[in-house]
Amino acid sequence: MGFEQVIGQQEVQQRLMQMVSEGRLPHALMLCGPEGAGKMALAIGFAQVLLNKSDNDAAMLRKLEHPDLHFTYPTIKLPSMSSDHKPVSDDFAREWHELIMGSRYFSMNQWLEQMGGENQQAIITAGESDDLVRKLSLKSSQGGYKISIIWLPERMNIECANKILKLLEEPPSQTVFIMVCEDPDRLLETIRSRVQRIDIKKIADDDIHRALVEQRGLSEEMALRMTRMANGNYLKALEMLNADSENELFLDMFQSLMRLAYQRKVKDLKTWSERMAAMGRERQKRFLEYFLRLIRENFAYNFQQPELCYMTQREEDFARNFARFINEANILPITDLANLAIRDIGQNANAKIVFFDFALQMIVLLIQK
């Protein structure tokens, strides 16, 4: 039991196992890398290896309910919580367990949705560090290691980070910390200096392709197209499988915007911007990120080299007639426009104004040659 649910990353698996076999396992590891590379899958797999000493351990680990396996993750404050309550991981233990049992590959957006706080900012609070100190001060229930997996430690507030730092400086006996990090520069330098960092690369295309064919039952052709679009991010491949409805909506909105802008239908563009404004801010940002991807793909389509294109069949069908409108003269201004809209939406600007201005500027940008 261990790395069965990890896609690829054989080199990292071998490195982790070598630490154990050579008796040089550090008390704190930090797995760093891009989203969708399998950091959490590696962390859980390694924890299972370290804790699996008996049939009883194996049974508990299969359900991820081992008493010496502790998870720490960002949380939100629910309206039902008292004003002085500092949310902790245990407040959302059921939701977390459902998420990780469903898949080891998931995003912050999925976790926020699982908690019921799509429009909130999730953090790891000082209350969490107090809870972790209490848990790790107890003896191992099974007589072996105690494993603390901390997902996205860069989201710790400063009070929490300082308390975790003390834990790392004076770790409890038989405790191994495994941090799963995407933005290590946001962590305190003193924390980074007390962990052994392992950088995780994007997953190899061959490994993603194999997983899509063998585990998801995709045809060779569909798996190849999806692998190219995933670009080393297995989470992205899963999202393409599981979130077709949102991507279809985004493609419809993209096509509608471009057609209306080309036809200079200002009144209809105003209606389009109102539809966009009715979506939640997180979905608005996801649309703009989708918009940026399709703009890049349509620009690449003009080079007539299929290996450069990472689009679904329906996206590519639209690109056949549309791609010629995205060229050297407007690719950068359009990209800047979308990034500015992402910033404005993130700063709670009026969405109707942001998207109507966005749509009007597209009228001008589409005619640049």
Side-chain angles (χ1 to χ4, degrees), residues 127 132 149 164 167 171 189 208 221 234 241 253 269 280 283 314 325 343 359:
L132 193 56
I149 296 179
I164 293 295
L167 264 181
E189 170 59 32
I208 291 182
E221 182 183 354
Y234 190 63
L241 286 174
M253 294 298 286
L269 285 172
R283 177 172 273 196
R314 190 168 164 234
F325 294 100
R343 187 203 68 183

Side-chain angles (χ1 to χ4, degrees), residues 111-263:
W111 175 228
L112 284 170
E113 185 177 344
Q114 187 84 0
M115 287 190 290
E118 291 89 335
N119 293 319
Q120 292 198 48
Q121 188 74 16
I123 64 169
I124 302 177
T125 68
E128 178 64 36
S129 54
D130 292 337
D131 217 27
L132 193 56
V133 168
R134 177 185 59 78
K135 290 175 182 176
L136 297 180
S137 66
L138 303 173
K139 284 187 177 181
S140 164
S141 74
Q142 304 300 303
Y145 286 112
K146 292 172 289 183
I147 310 293
S148 171
I149 296 179
I150 304 177
W151 183 51
L152 303 185
E154 60 266 38
R155 286 180 175 257
M156 294 187 293
N157 65 21
I158 190 63
E159 187 180 356
C160 175
N162 283 322
K163 290 182 177 181
I164 293 295
L165 175 60
K166 287 199 68 176
L167 264 181
L168 295 174
E169 289 174 335
E170 301 175 11
S173 174
Q174 288 284 88
T175 298
V176 176
F177 294 91
I178 306 176
M179 295 187 176
V180 177
C181 185
E182 290 178 2
D183 193 356
D185 290 340
R186 288 174 54 192
L187 273 171
L188 294 176
E189 170 59 32
T190 44
I191 288 181
R192 297 202 303 268
S193 68
R194 282 166 176 78
V195 301
Q196 183 165 329
R197 174 171 170 170
I198 297 178
D199 288 311
I200 314 296
K201 299 176 183 177
K202 291 181 178 180
I203 304 173
D205 283 354
D206 286 347
D207 291 321
I208 291 182
H209 182 269
R210 189 179 305 110
L212 291 174
V213 172
E214 295 177 359
Q215 298 180 21
R216 299 286 166 166
L218 269 64
S219 67
E220 288 286 339
E221 182 183 354
M222 180 63 75
L224 180 61
R225 180 182 287 270
M226 200 164 285
T227 296
R228 284 166 48 199
M229 291 175 63
N231 190 27
N233 182 341
Y234 190 63
L235 176 59
K236 192 170 183 180
L238 292 181
E239 286 176 346
M240 285 187 281
L241 286 174
N242 299 329
D244 284 344
S245 58
E246 183 172 81
N247 284 341
E248 290 293 305
L249 169 65
F250 287 168
L251 178 57
D252 288 341
M253 294 298 286
F254 180 88
Q255 291 175 340
S256 177
L257 169 64
M258 296 309 178
R259 286 168 176 153
L260 294 173
Y262 179 73
Q263 295 166 6

Side-chain angles (χ1 to χ4, degrees), residues 23-80:
R24 52 183 182 85
L25 179 65
H27 77 276
L29 289 165
M30 184 163 71
L31 307 181
C32 298
E35 183 182 77
K39 301 180 297 298
M40 178 56 79
L42 283 162
I44 292 176
F46 192 45
Q48 289 176 320
V49 168
L50 295 176
L51 293 172
N52 187 19
K53 303 301 180 186
S54 69
D55 290 343
N56 189 41
D57 285 326
M60 293 186 289
L61 288 168
R62 271 192 291 272
K63 299 178 181 178
L64 296 182
E65 292 177 345
H66 197 286
D68 294 323
L69 177 59
H70 306 284
F71 289 100
T72 293
Y73 36 84
T75 57
I76 59 173
K77 191 155 190 171
L78 297 174
S80 58

Side-chain angles (χ1 to χ4, degrees), residues 280-343:
R281 290 192 180 272
E282 290 302 320
R283 177 172 273 196
Q284 289 165 1
K285 286 190 284 187
R286 291 200 298 274
F287 167 77
L288 289 166
E289 288 162 359
Y290 175 88
F291 173 94
L292 280 169
R293 181 179 72 80
L294 270 201
I295 289 296
R296 289 192 297 267
E297 297 303 334
N298 277 269
F299 181 66
Y301 189 88
N302 290 319
F303 293 98
Q304 297 181 349
Q305 295 183 29
E307 69 274 10
L308 293 178
C309 296
Y310 301 84
M311 290 186 280
T312 65
Q313 189 63 59
R314 190 168 164 234
E315 289 167 348
E316 193 171 331
D317 290 343
F318 181 69
R320 287 195 185 95
N321 294 319
F322 172 72
R324 60 194 170 93
F325 294 100
I326 306 301
N327 51 57
E328 291 88 344
N330 62 16
I331 177 70
L332 292 179
I334 291 175
T335 299
D336 290 342
L337 179 66
N339 282 322
L340 181 62
I342 291 172
R343 187 203 68 183

Side-chain angles (χ1 to χ4, degrees), residues 257 260-262 264-270 272-273 337 352-367:
L257 169 64
L260 294 173
Y262 179 73
R264 303 187 183 190
K265 293 187 175 181
V266 175
K267 185 177 179 181
D268 290 335
L269 285 172
K270 187 172 186 297
W272 179 91
S273 65
L337 179 66
K352 285 185 181 180
I353 295 174
V354 170
F355 282 106
F356 190 41
D357 178 68
F358 182 84
L360 292 178
Q361 292 198 53
M362 284 305 305
I363 294 176
V364 178
L365 290 171
L366 281 182
I367 64 173

